[in-house]
Amino acid sequence: MIKVAKALMIVGTMSNAGKSLVTAGLCRVFNQDGYKVAPFKSQNMALNSFITAEGAEMGRAQVVQAEAANIEPSVLMNPILLKPTSDSGSQVIVNGEAIGTMKAGEYYAMKHTLRPEVQKAFDTLASKFDIVCIEGAGSPAEINIKKDDFVNMGMAKMAKAPVLLVADIDRGGVFASIYGTLMLLEDDEREMVKGVIINKFRGDVEILRPGLKMIEDKTGVPIVGVLPMLKVDIEDEDSLSERISGRSEVKLIDIAVVRIPRMSNYTDFNVFELIPGVSLRYVTSVRELGQPDMIIIPGTKNTTGDLKWLRQSGMEAAILKHANSGTVVFGVCGGYQMLGKQISDPYGEEDGTGKANVTPGMGLLDIETTFIEKKRTIQMAGKFGQVQGIFSALSGLPLYGYEIHSGVTEFPEEKALTSISPIHENGEIMAEGSQNTEGKLNVYGTYVHGVFDGDGIAVKIVEALLAKKGKKMDDIQTINFAEYKRQQYDILADSIRENLDMKKIYEILEAGV
């Protein structure tokens, strides 16, 4: 007899209600309780993505949830990923591979053909685990796009999963959003919702209790817990993240990440936030840029489009001025491509015209990039080569990460930044990245996402920036980023246990629908 996991679905009254974090927390609790648990989200729209050991691309939210569950991420956990390329179009990735770029209308016209892929991915996952925690997207009450739904209540029906509804009280109107969401569901869908979680609460829960009873009486759905505004450092998704929208205090070492319009994988830089005396700021204008010690140009889903934005906004001129005065400039993936001499797009993929074009780069690195039709998606491990300039202390340090890019970049090997080898392949060690330390320049670039996460790398960078200012920080400790993340997942699980009725949730899970 084929094993089938118990399934539990977590949906939200709106985007950013906290369902990703709640799903991660439940995955951690179930794992701590001895169950083999996996996350699942049929369709994710995000620019933050990850490459699995098999070279498949998936959303980072399910990677975080897999980490919380103590398992390796698999593309089965996120069979469809939409990566926005413009306000009306996205690259569509199915089972880890891009199948094309589509306008919203084009995608909705064909998405019903993807339903079998979603069912197959879920069934395969369910055959390997005890519990599958399914995360919805947006709101289940989006009545304009409910047709052919396999993301929210449609997915719950496919998985035969009871549903928990997460509502954000911090924005106000929580009871109206709970009631409105439930009333907009079809009768059979409403019957599948077995509990409500109120999230991001501040204050005395006793004052809230009359409202909790009233909403239970009006909807017939029990409140299974009230989660406080959690203080955990766990990755969140894309532009909704307070991490990139909040204003940060400028500290002794100031690192500015340029918040380009289609920025991707901003989580590459989270490790710097763990170092005392370091500010990590996301900036969108020359005024906000200020006088940083290091400028990072991150990855992007549209390299040439975001490079044009840098020019039109005046940011390129400001970055060039800083670079020529000795400020460190570091580009990752698309940011690395922008730092070169030129970017060739023979297929017109980036601007969507289908016409060949060449865009001049910023000219800070001696590299040239050409976009090809096949995307490189691979995990890798390696080390820094002979690093020159201010970051010479990085030379020889081991690193790990992954690559997601369509560009092929030519560079002088004597200026390579790293040497890498694909994981789970018998590939040769290859040079990668580039650097320019001529004159006052301290410019570096790499395709490797996660390049700063290896033990001691971020600390070495901060120490070098401090030394440039004639200062040092004796109490800086080498950060084990993996261990830090494990601690944060345990803190999240503790809060889930303390504030949710886990006995009731287990009963819901066991009873099914």
Side-chain angles (χ1 to χ4, degrees):
M1 184 174 178
I2 298 175
K3 168 186 171 182
V4 178
K6 297 285 186 182
L8 179 68
M9 183 143 197
I10 296 89
V11 301
T13 55
M14 65 185 81
S15 294
N16 205 31
K19 54 187 177 293
S20 294
L21 205 62
V22 170
T23 303
L26 287 171
C27 282
R28 191 65 162 190
V29 168
F30 293 144
N31 172 254
Q32 290 175 341
D33 288 350
Y35 294 97
K36 288 177 61 181
V37 57
F40 181 84
K41 186 168 184 175
S42 59
Q43 175 187 292
N44 205 343
M45 177 175 279
L47 285 173
N48 280 355
S49 60
F50 176 83
I51 302 302
T52 69
E54 296 77 26
E57 188 171 5
M58 62 181 288
R60 282 199 67 96
Q62 282 59 64
V63 175
V64 168
Q65 292 159 1
E67 287 179 346
N70 273 321
I71 58 174
E72 282 292 314
S74 164
V75 75
L76 293 171
M77 301 167 187
N78 177 212
I80 302 173
L81 174 62
L82 305 178
K83 299 185 75 172
T85 56
S86 66
D87 291 341
S88 60
S90 296
Q91 183 181 61
V92 180
I93 297 167
V94 179
N95 294 324
E97 293 190 9
I99 64 169
T101 299
M102 302 181 191
K103 299 289 186 183
E106 294 173 327
Y107 176 70
Y108 279 103
M110 63 78 66
K111 75 169 188 175
H112 67 279
T113 65
L114 301 178
R115 191 181 187 91
E117 300 296 336
V118 170
Q119 186 74 64
K120 181 180 178 182
F122 174 79
D123 289 346
T124 303
L125 203 63
S127 70
K128 297 178 179 181
F129 290 87
D130 302 320
I131 300 172
V132 178
C133 286
I134 309 168
E135 180 188 347
S139 163
E142 303 287 357
I143 54 179
N144 58 314
I145 55 174
K146 284 185 70 172
K147 185 177 182 293
D148 297 321
D149 170 55
F150 52 65
V151 180
N152 288 303
M153 300 308 295
M155 184 65 233
K157 291 178 181 179
M158 290 167 67
K160 299 179 174 58
V163 176
L164 298 179
L165 176 66
V166 179
D168 177 1
I169 195 172
D170 191 50
R171 298 187 190 185
V174 69
F175 296 120
S177 67
I178 294 169
Y179 186 82
T181 298
L182 291 172
M183 292 305 107
L184 285 173
L185 298 180
E186 303 295 333
D187 290 345
D188 61 334
E189 295 173 338
R190 196 178 307 120
E191 289 176 5
M192 298 179 74
V193 181
K194 304 300 183 181
V196 173
I197 297 170
I198 292 181
N199 194 26
K200 304 182 186 179
F201 180 69
R202 309 172 195 258
D204 186 349
V205 74
E206 293 303 317
I207 299 174
L208 194 63
R209 294 206 183 279
L212 302 182
K213 183 178 185 308
M214 182 178 292
I215 201 68
E216 287 181 332
D217 291 342
K218 285 185 174 293
T219 65
V221 181
I223 305 292
V224 296
V226 178
L227 281 171
M229 183 67 77
L230 298 176
K231 298 187 182 301
V232 289
D233 187 8
I234 293 174
E235 285 182 22
D236 33 29
E237 284 195 281
D238 281 355
S239 59
L240 292 175
S241 171
E242 294 179 4
R243 193 177 234 121
I244 63 176
S245 60
R247 293 187 177 275
S248 299
E249 171 193 358
V250 174
K251 298 181 181 178
L252 180 59
I253 292 300
D254 182 32
I255 299 174
V257 180
V258 182
R259 189 179 173 184
I260 46 184
R262 297 171 187 85
M263 177 174 65
S264 63
N265 290 73
Y266 67 84
T267 51
D268 285 341
F269 321 118
N270 289 358
V271 65
F272 288 111
E273 295 181 335
L274 308 181
I275 303 177
V278 175
S279 56
L280 183 70
R281 299 182 298 117
Y282 291 82
V283 301
T284 57
S285 67
V286 174
R287 179 181 56 81
E288 290 179 354
L289 184 61
Q291 299 295 321
D293 299 290
M294 180 163 77
I295 298 170
I296 296 176
I297 307 177
T300 169
K301 193 62 194 70
N302 190 323
T303 302
T304 54
D306 281 356
L307 179 53
K308 290 174 183 175
W309 176 85
L310 286 178
R311 291 195 169 125
Q312 294 166 354
S313 66
M315 286 291 279
E316 180 189 40
I319 292 168
L320 291 172
K321 183 178 179 181
H322 277 286
N324 286 307
S325 67
T327 301
V328 175
V329 178
F330 206 119
V332 178
C333 200
Y336 168 43
Q337 295 170 341
M338 293 181 199
L339 291 173
K341 294 189 293 186
Q342 71 174 31
I343 301 168
S344 300
D345 186 3
Y347 304 101
E349 290 280 341
E350 285 282 296
D351 61 10
T353 64
K355 297 179 181 179
N357 61 83
V358 177
T359 304
M362 298 172 68
L364 289 173
L365 290 175
D366 185 17
I367 64 173
E368 295 186 5
T369 298
T370 302
F371 290 122
I372 61 174
E373 291 182 291
K374 183 170 176 56
K375 183 187 288 190
R376 176 174 167 85
T377 57
I378 198 162
Q379 285 189 5
M380 47 65 54
K383 64 180 180 179
F384 283 96
Q386 192 59 47
V387 183
Q388 302 157 7
I390 188 174
F391 291 156
S392 59
L394 295 177
S395 298
L397 287 184
L399 60 90
Y400 56 86
Y402 54 94
E403 297 183 37
I404 318 170
H405 57 93
S406 299
V408 173
T409 298
E410 296 181 3
F411 58 92
E413 283 214 21
E414 67 273 13
K415 293 187 177 180
L417 186 65
T418 72
S419 59
I420 60 172
S421 178
I423 295 176
H424 301 305
E425 283 190 7
N426 296 320
E428 295 181 0
I429 295 175
M430 57 180 286
E432 182 277 335
S434 191
Q435 53 189 318
N436 185 358
T437 57
E438 296 177 4
K440 291 185 176 181
L441 293 176
N442 287 292
V443 183
Y444 306 87
T446 179
Y447 272 123
V448 180
H449 292 289
V451 66
F452 303 118
D453 289 351
D455 286 350
I457 291 173
V459 169
K460 289 290 185 186
I461 286 174
V462 172
E463 286 178 337
L465 295 174
L466 283 167
K468 186 170 181 275
K469 302 174 83 166
K471 298 180 182 296
K472 59 182 180 178
M473 192 180 292
D474 294 333
D475 63 343
I476 286 182
Q477 300 295 319
T478 299
I479 298 164
N480 186 319
F481 198 37
E483 178 58 33
Y484 175 80
K485 287 196 289 185
R486 284 193 289 271
Q487 292 171 358
Q488 296 303 303
Y489 293 135
D490 287 339
I491 292 170
L492 173 60
D494 289 346
S495 185
I496 292 284
R497 289 186 188 279
E498 182 180 350
N499 296 286
L500 299 189
D501 185 347
M502 285 307 304
K503 180 181 178 183
K504 178 66 175 176
I505 290 174
Y506 271 115
E507 289 172 357
I508 290 170
L509 182 66
E510 189 63 33
V513 293

